Amino acid sequence: MWTFIARRLLQSIVVLLGVTLISFIALQIGGDPTYLFVSERASQQEIEMVRHALGFDRPLYVQYLSYIGQVVRGDFGNSLSYRQPAMGLVLGALPATIELTVFALVFAMALAVPFGVFAALNRGTALDGGIITLAMFGQSVPNFWLGIMMILFFGLYLHWFPISGHVPFLQPLLQGDFVTAFKNLPRTLYYLVMPGIAVGFYSLSRNARLVRSSMLEVLNQDYVRTARSKGLTERAVVVHHALRNAWLPVITMVGLEFGFLLGGVVVIETVFSYPGLGRLVFNAVNQRDIPVVQSAVIVLAVIFVLLNLLVDLIYAKVDPRVKL
């Protein structure tokens, strides 16, 4: 196992280098950030002086190698807009995004599994058709449209939930202030309801269909028919034989789903004015704040890599046939 982990960590370094290179090139071809630092009336000579001072006049590969050297030393640069360490801004916004992502994932999986199981057990019935229709609707509508509709109906019309804002839970928890963290928890969840559902609804729909398909496949296996022929109750057959084996593809999806949701909250955080990493990156892209965008890309890439590694280890633990 340790050999597998060491090999995956080495592969991860290559992946991270590739991610930083692609994001660096993409940001560079998006325009010259020098103009963020000069006035509209600046002369060409003044622009060139600022460009030289910031190092933007150097060849692209020199800028990239210089950037990688700084990253290795733990220096991710300062934000061009906020004049603060870029990584500090990213890590400061990350807890709010993790709260939103975890809420969306729990919401999605808590409903996807029973929906998928009930649909499979009642195949061809009205219940099965209703769940499939709901899943198709969830996979068809964009999450930003769903978020806007929820703001209009549940926020502005019914006034059930706030349309923006955030009450921190992880931030005080990480600072060791447990009293404030758990005091904030009910209001944290209250503010997460609408953006969390908007983010997680697509994941709910996709995983409900995945669980349904997996359950249908497992229910037709010989060992399930054998279990039934032994006189076991239907509940015992489903819980102890069918669902346990149907979990395997779902486990893979859960890990990847967290990364997918984490990277997909940019639009929803903007719609709900949610102070997380997604809105920070959105503003940074608009302002050509390259250090902030690159720092966010590195953090998200590291989380993706670690999640994939964790999923592989859990999968091997659950299914002994898988060799690491």
Side-chain angles (χ1 to χ4, degrees), residues 200-212:
F201 200 67
Y202 180 86
S203 178
L204 158 65
S205 306
R206 181 169 60 184
N207 284 293
R209 296 184 69 177
L210 176 65
V211 172
R212 178 183 179 274

Side-chain angles (χ1 to χ4, degrees), residues 5 24 44-45 49-50 70 133 170-171 188 190 230 235 238 254 272 277 283 292 297 310:
I5 294 175
F24 185 85
Q44 188 61 35
Q45 185 180 8
M49 288 177 61
V50 172
Q70 291 178 342
T133 302
L170 275 180
Q171 194 73 42
T188 301
Y190 180 58
K230 290 180 178 177
R235 182 176 180 277
V238 171
V254 169
F272 285 91
L277 183 58
N283 293 333
V292 172
V297 167
L310 184 63

